[in-house]
Each structure stands twice: as structure tokens, then as C-alpha cells.
Amino acid sequence: MKHKIQNTKLSSLCLRSTVLYTFFMLSLQGFSQTPPKIRSEVDTTFIKIGEQIKFTVTVETDSTDQVIFPDGQTFSPLETVEAYATDTTRKKDRLTLQKIYALTQFDSGSYKLPAQRIEINGKGYFTDSLQVDVANVAVDTINQKMYDIKELMVVEKSNSGLWKILIAVLVGLLILGGLLYWFVFRKKPLTEEEKVALLPPYDRALIELKKLENSKYLIQDEYKQYYTELTNIVRSYLEEDVHVTALESTTDELIGKLEMLKDAGELKIDNDTLLQFKRILQTADLVKFAKSRPETSLAEEHRKSIEQIVIKTHEALPEPTEEELLEQEEYREELARKEQRKKWVLASGIAAGLILIALASVAGYYGPRNVWDTVTRQKTKILLDQDWIASSYGFPPISLETPEVLVRQKVKLPPEQQAATQGLQVFAYQSPNDAIAISTTSLSLANVEEDPDFEKTIETLLSSLEKRGVKNIITKQEEFTTVTGVKGIKIYGSGKFPIVESNETAQGEYSILLFGGKGFQQQVMITWLSDDPYAQKIVDRILQTVEVKTET
């Protein structure tokens, strides 16, 4: 019984502790946390199509809370333009977070900005929904004319950068020329080997024998290499200075040739020297071909003997005559000229090859004729590629773009026409090679309120072409519309045009534009040669820029 009472007290105590703990924790939580506050607003509820509104969301919460703002296109039907960075302000243990969104709409109407979900510590809070009106933009269709959308205009590849490529090629050639001069034609300092090679045979032989003395052939038991070089030195000297075929001759053949020179009096050398020379050559043959190995001291003695033989041979040679010296000088000069010609041929070949490669590359990209006309400065191509001039001429004005400015022309009218004419302005330009001619005419009549008679004007213009000597005139007619929609008449065709200061004719083309209104008329006339492709391109470009005013 006592045990049962103790268990009941224990259970009651545990239950009471649990209730107190739970109440304490709930009281603590309610005391330490304040519910977050959320506000939303817009800077305006009325915008035009494409304008933006600023939607601002402000959240006040504890510094330990995690807040997630809406991201992406959650404002549909409005579109999010930009979501700015969150602005944070701290005050003690509270944070004020402000997020601004830029919104827009491209269709007119009344739209509802939906409520946005703000997540705080995993719990969702919603902003207020708002109504936004988007007004249409009024278009003035009464005072402003409406025009059809123009077709795409094909623009040909500009050749204005061709000069830059040609300049780059020239710079490359100059650099190549500098490199060729520096590495081929410039007199470079000679190396020791080159200096020795330019010495006379006698001096060169002594220097090479001295080098052989300082070599390590004998120390390394390389007797074959030692005697091979020793005999080559003396044989080369004899071939160059004594003028005998020593390198290809055997020992007996070489000694025999020297004896013949001695007997002929061309080589004053004693028999003992020739005999000593023969013994050295025979020893060298044994070392090279029979693997004989003489004493080191003997090998050294043979080198000294060869040096004396070279000296005695040189002294035994007769002094060269003045004619021989001149022949040797001419021979050296001829060798120098041949070497110089080889260098020039090499340099010219490299330069010509690079030029051909550069020209072929440029011609392949721009076209052969285009490159040729650019290099030769073809006059019509220069007009096409240069900066054009946009200007208005006469009154009522005719606006167009041309390679060169049109110059006012003095026109004399008969007295009877002067009375009927209120104003006449003529402007014209003629290319230097007579490939193209451009003119504009603005005519105002006095006391006339009627539309111009274009048929009569066309007859007058064709008659004037015939008077200028144009033959076989072919005429076509069609409607012409400017960029802004002004309509006129286009008369065009071809014929045989007379060449200035010549009795010959050339195939040419013409194009005439006629515009006008009550009491006035405007005219643009262009003539050009058919075989000039650049003239045709100039005409096409001019016709695309023609603009007139038909109201005075």
C-alpha cells in the first residue's frame, strides 16, 4: 500500500513538472519573438505601354529569421524587368528588408498584380494584390502619313578597306626588304674560319699546320687522322699555289709532276726536298692504308718537314707577272659579281613570290578586276568608294546623295519663256572620264495652277537627247516611288552616245525621274556608259536616295 502511494505521488510530480516546463517554454517563446510585418506598395497604378512600375515589398522581422523573396516571373500577367538587390537595415535584434521589382506590360488593359508569397522560416506570408491600368499610346493617323514597310535593300560589300590591305602588303614587302638586306646583302663581320679562307694559299697552309701541331691526334693515337690532314694541307697548297692536280694524284704521280715543273724551270726546288717530301707521303700512305704506326717523334718531325717544304716551295715559285696579277684580280671581281647576282636573284624570287601570293589572295577575295581598278586608280571606282555628299538642290528642293557636289549651271531662256517662268535652277556634275553625268532641274511656272504635262516633258527630253547626237534610243517607262512614298515617273533606256572630241560613239544608258505638282516640275537625269560596272552601281545608289517635296 505504501509502495502504491509513492508511485502515485511520483507520477503526479512528473506530470506537474512536464506541464510547468511546457508552459514555461511556450511563455518564453511568446515573450522572445514578435510576429513579422509585411508591407507592399507600387509607385503608380497607371502606366503607358512599355513603361515601368516599381513594386516594393518591406519585411520587418527578427535578425535570426530566414526570409525568401519571390524570384522570376511570378508577377504574371505583368513582366519582371529587373529585381533589385535587397536593402537591409538592422535595429537591435530586428531587421527591415526592402525588395524592389521593376515591372512592365506591353499590351493595353487593366491587369491584376497577384499577391506574392514571402517565405519566413518556411512559413508563407502574402502581400496585397493590386490593380494596374496600362494605357495605349495614341497614334496620329491624320496629320502623319503612313507608308508601307520597304523591302530589304541589298548592300554590296564595301571596297573601302582594300587600300588598307594594299598598304599592309607594301609594309610587309618593306619589312621583307629590310630582312633581306640585313641577312643577305649587308656586309657581315667575318668569322675566324672565313678570315682564314680568304688568306692566300701559303699563309693559310702555315696556319693550318700550326693548328695541326696543337691538335690532340697524336695524344689520342689517331695517327690516320693526323697524316690525312697533314697530306691534305700540303696537297691543297700545291694545287692552289703551284697549280698541279695534287688532291687526285697518287704519291708517285704528284712527285713526277713536281719534277717536271722543276725540269721546266717553273719550280726552283732541290732534289733533296723532293726526296724528303716523297718519303713523308709514302709514310702517310702506309699509315692510312696499311695501319702503320710510326713513332710520335717521327710524326712531329714530319709535320715540321712539311712546313719547310711549303716554305721552300713558295720561295721556289717565280714572282707573278703584272698580267697574272691583273687576271687574278679580275677573277676575284668576277666571283664577287657572280655571288652578288645570286643574292639578287634569290631576293627577287622571294619578293616576286610574296607579291604574287598577296595579289592572288586579294584578287581571290575582292575579284581581279576590282583589285586592278583599285591599283590603277580607276576614276569611276574612286567616285563609288569615296565619301558621298547628301544635299538638296533647287526649289522645290530635290534631295539626293552623289559622289561629288552638283554645281549650279547658268541657263539662258528666250524672252518668251522668261515671262512664263518664275524660277529655274539647274545643277550638274560630269565625271572626269565622262563615264557618268548627273543633273537636277527644278522649274516653277508663273500664274499656273495645273499639274505638269509629263508626256510633253518626256518628248522634249528625248528630243534633246537626239539633238546631242544620241542615236538608236530605246525608251521604257514605269512608275517610280521614293523612300518616303512620293510617286513620280521613271523614263530609262539605252542608246549610242557620242564620245567627246571624237567621231565615235559608245553604248550608253540613261535614267530620268520626273516629279511635280501644281505649277512646278522636278527632274533628275543621269547618263552613263554601259561598259563601266562602277557607273551602274553609282546610278543605283543615287536612285535609292532621291527624295523630293511636291508641295511648295
Side-chain angles (χ1 to χ4, degrees), residues 158 160 381-390 401-405 541:
S158 174
S160 59
K381 188 177 189 305
I382 294 174
L383 290 176
L384 178 63
D385 293 339
Q386 69 185 17
D387 293 334
W388 282 36
I389 299 168
E401 291 183 10
T402 54
E404 297 287 350
V405 67
R541 182 171 172 181

Side-chain angles (χ1 to χ4, degrees), residues 138-146:
V139 179
D140 184 4
T141 59
I142 298 176
N143 298 323
Q144 180 177 342
K145 295 182 180 180
M146 303 296 290

